[in-house]
Amino acid sequence: MAFDADGAWAATGQVMPDLLADLLAEPFFALPPPKSTGRDLFHLDWLQPHLPPDSRPEDVQATLLMLTAQSVADALRAHMPDARRLIACGGGARNGRLMQALTRLLPGVAVSSSEAHGLPVDQVEAAAFAWLAHRFVTRQPGNLPAVTGAAGPRVLGALHPA
C-alpha cells in the first residue's frame, strides 16, 4: 500500500516495545531543532536491520505509527514544554489513529489538524511558499533567526523573469 489509510492496518497490530525503543534510539531524534528529514533517512533499508526475524508486518506498522507519535511527543516536551496546542498538517493529520496516539501521549495539549484552523492539511506547504514569495516581493525578511539558526533576518529567494 502507498500509505496506511487512517492507520487502519496499524490498528490490526500490536506495538513491539523492544523495536520501538531501538528505533527511538536513532540519533536524529536527539538532535535539537531546527531539523528536517524524510525518506532520505527513514526508509526500508534503515528499518530492516532493526526488525526481529519473526516480526509480523502489522506489528511493525503499529510500531512505526507509535514511533511517529512518540518522537513528536518527546520533541514537543523537550523543546516546547509549555506548549498547549499541537496543530498537525500533511498526511499524518488525516491518520485518525496517529492523531489519537498524539492526544494520548500529550495530556493537556490540544491536538488538532490545520484544517480545523482554516488551512487544509495538504495546502500548508503551498501557503508557506506563497507567504515566502510575498515577503520576497515586499522585501521583508522571510526567516526567524531564533527558529532557523541564521545570523540575522534575511530576505529570501530570487526573482527570475521569463
Side-chain angles (χ1 to χ4, degrees):
M1 294 182 283
F3 65 96
D4 183 9
D6 203 34
W9 185 35
T12 67
Q14 298 295 318
V15 173
M16 303 165 65
D18 292 341
L19 176 59
L20 178 60
D22 191 29
L23 298 177
L24 283 168
E26 165 60 47
F28 173 82
F29 295 123
L31 295 174
K35 61 183 178 181
S36 179
T37 191
R39 291 185 181 111
D40 54 313
L41 174 59
F42 298 105
H43 47 73
L44 188 57
D45 288 340
W46 171 82
L47 177 63
Q48 286 286 355
H50 298 279
L51 296 178
D54 58 345
S55 301
R56 294 180 338 131
E58 57 272 25
D59 294 342
V60 173
Q61 188 69 12
T63 304
L64 291 172
L65 184 142
M66 188 52 65
L67 171 67
T68 302
Q70 189 68 59
S71 64
V72 169
D74 290 349
L76 190 68
R77 282 192 292 267
H79 302 289
M80 295 189 70
D82 297 328
R84 294 292 162 249
R85 181 185 304 173
L86 173 66
I87 301 173
C89 62
R94 295 192 190 282
N95 185 321
R97 285 179 179 78
L98 176 59
M99 297 294 280
Q100 289 168 358
L102 287 166
T103 299
R104 278 193 313 276
L105 292 170
L106 293 166
V109 175
V111 177
S112 60
S113 78
S114 62
E115 190 104 21
H117 300 275
L119 185 57
V121 297
D122 295 328
Q123 294 180 11
V124 172
E125 188 175 22
F129 279 102
W131 183 86
L132 287 168
H134 172 76
R135 299 294 285 191
F136 172 80
V137 169
T138 59
R139 308 307 295 160
Q140 298 177 63
N143 69 322
L144 290 173
V147 174
T148 65
R154 302 287 187 266
V155 175
L156 305 175
L159 179 62
H160 300 279

